[in-house]
Amino acid sequence: MNEDMIEVNRSMRATIRRAAESDAPGLLRLNEKFNGKSNLSAEQIRLSLAVNDREDVFVAEQEGKLVGFCCVQIFQSFCYEVRYAEITELYVDDAYQRRGIGRELLGYVEQYYEDTDIKGFQLFTGGGNVSAQAFYEKLGYKRTSEVMYRKRKQL
């Protein structure tokens, strides 16, 4: 979808938009707060933003500082007539939570795909992440059956 088709959401809380390559340092900072220290560099994130056509990244910005992000991957299979979007990451910096920024970020993402053939969104949260589950349920997300997972053996 063309970014020009979606009006940038400006509010007292945050500006929500697609991530730009210049957001890489801020995304690195936020990702490490969310997922812990890693071996990723800002340059690797910049490169991913530039060439990864399987993921769309959206950011929430306030007063020139990134305060949240949302990563979305689109899945398509010959088995199904429709595509769906998986929200793989959604994070708002602790200092900016409970201000509606997460709601705005997710709303923007859903609106971004509104005029596409995406027929639904899915996401996963930890079983003990009660606050995230309540947040998503308040926005209309429904619980489904358990997800099965097996870690791949080291080569």
Side-chain angles (χ1 to χ4, degrees), residues 73-115:
Q73 293 191 15
I74 306 301
F75 290 93
Q76 181 173 348
S77 169
F78 79 89
C79 298
Y80 307 104
E81 295 178 15
V82 298
R83 299 182 312 154
Y84 69 93
E86 181 176 323
I87 297 162
T88 59
E89 307 286 338
L90 176 64
Y91 176 70
V92 175
D93 190 313
D94 292 344
Y96 295 87
Q97 290 182 5
R98 307 231 183 277
R99 298 182 185 184
I101 295 171
R103 177 185 300 268
E104 282 188 75
L105 190 50
L106 197 52
Y108 182 91
V109 166
E110 290 174 349
Q111 181 187 0
Y112 183 85
Y113 296 103
E114 190 170 284
D115 294 330

Side-chain angles (χ1 to χ4, degrees), residues 30-117:
L30 289 171
N31 186 54
E32 288 189 343
K33 283 183 148 187
F34 185 46
N35 290 312
K37 285 283 187 191
S38 71
N39 292 325
L40 282 175
S41 68
E43 178 57 22
Q44 288 171 304
I45 294 171
R46 186 202 64 74
L47 184 60
S48 180
L49 290 170
V51 301
N52 185 353
D53 61 356
R54 295 181 177 211
E55 179 177 60
D56 291 324
V57 180
F58 302 86
V59 295
E61 183 178 32
Q62 190 173 56
E63 298 173 350
K65 178 181 178 183
L66 292 189
V67 298
F69 68 94
C70 182
C71 302
V72 179
Q73 293 191 15
I74 306 301
F75 290 93
Q76 181 173 348
S77 169
F78 79 89
C79 298
Y80 307 104
E81 295 178 15
V82 298
R83 299 182 312 154
Y84 69 93
E86 181 176 323
I87 297 162
T88 59
E89 307 286 338
L90 176 64
Y91 176 70
V92 175
D93 190 313
D94 292 344
Y96 295 87
Q97 290 182 5
R98 307 231 183 277
R99 298 182 185 184
I101 295 171
R103 177 185 300 268
E104 282 188 75
L105 190 50
L106 197 52
Y108 182 91
V109 166
E110 290 174 349
Q111 181 187 0
Y112 183 85
Y113 296 103
E114 190 170 284
D115 294 330
T116 69
D117 64 346

